[in-house]
Amino acid sequence: SRCCEVERGLARSTMLPMVSGELQHNNILLRWRSSLWKLVWFQLLIYTSIYLAISMIYRFTLPTELAIKFEKLILWVRINSLQLPLTFLLGFYVSLVVKRWWEQYVKLPWPDEVATYLKVAITKNPKKKESGDSEKDDDEYDHSKRVRRTIVQYCLL
């Protein structure tokens, strides 16, 4: 009987997330610094409040004559909003966003080009006379190699 209790408890604990769905873990949306909800909660609250105020005024306080005029206003807005489709306007917006993204992408430096220039620009000092100390030359080469590598790493960030 204890085995059945454990299996039922396991089944309940594994089914709970499926039953409650994604609404169980909403607190992570509020903790995330760049959360969409944190960015739009105030505008959403204002929009919802204005919508509810207009709805309550229309349903409970407007006399019949004004309610009919309000309905005519709504129909006029619907008819006139069809003249300029939203997808047409969104097409301009999307093309502008893609154009800006592409401009930024093109301006990014390519690391291989930077690495080539660094190889030419940062080398061991050619003016120094060749000393017989190969250990010192290796240290200087390693230092310039580390500097080049560090600059390329910063370019990749």
Side-chain angles (χ1 to χ4, degrees):
S1 74
R2 180 158 171 81
C3 179
C4 293
E5 289 176 13
V6 171
E7 287 177 4
R8 277 188 289 213
L10 180 63
R12 238 181 291 144
S13 68
T14 57
M15 290 298 286
L16 182 62
M18 285 188 244
V19 172
S20 61
E22 292 296 322
L23 298 176
Q24 181 181 7
H25 304 290
N26 272 344
N27 58 353
I28 197 163
L29 293 176
L30 300 176
R31 271 194 264 149
W32 186 27
R33 185 174 45 171
S34 300
S35 171
L36 177 66
W37 297 110
K38 278 189 175 181
L39 296 174
V40 300
W41 76 269
F42 190 68
Q43 289 87 352
L44 182 63
L45 181 70
I46 290 174
Y47 175 81
T48 306
S49 301
I50 291 173
Y51 177 81
L52 289 174
I54 291 172
S55 178
M56 293 300 152
I57 290 171
Y58 170 72
R59 293 177 194 277
F60 299 117
T61 61
L62 279 182
T64 309
E65 298 170 6
L66 289 176
I68 292 171
K69 286 184 180 180
F70 186 71
E71 289 173 6
K72 287 181 181 179
L73 174 68
I74 292 171
L75 288 174
W76 179 82
V77 169
R78 274 193 194 147
I79 291 169
N80 287 329
S81 68
L82 295 177
Q83 291 177 358
L84 196 58
L86 185 61
T87 54
F88 182 70
L89 296 175
L90 282 176
F92 284 114
Y93 176 73
V94 169
S95 69
L96 179 71
V97 169
V98 169
K99 179 181 157 199
R100 286 182 182 172
W101 175 83
W102 184 252
E103 287 173 359
Q104 288 179 355
Y105 177 76
V106 168
K107 289 179 184 176
L108 287 175
W110 291 98
D112 53 351
E113 187 177 338
V114 173
T116 305
Y117 288 136
L118 285 174
K119 179 66 176 161
V120 171
I122 301 176
T123 58
K124 63 182 184 176
N125 193 353
K127 292 183 181 177
K128 278 190 176 179
K129 293 183 178 176
E130 290 291 326
S131 63
D133 194 6
S134 65
E135 189 175 309
K136 196 172 189 182
D137 290 340
D138 288 342
D139 287 343
E140 192 173 330
Y141 177 75
D142 288 342
H143 176 70
S144 61
K145 185 176 178 180
R146 279 196 308 265
V147 169
R148 289 193 305 262
R149 187 176 290 168
T150 304
I151 292 172
V152 170
Q153 286 174 350
Y154 281 128
C155 286
L156 292 174
L157 291 180

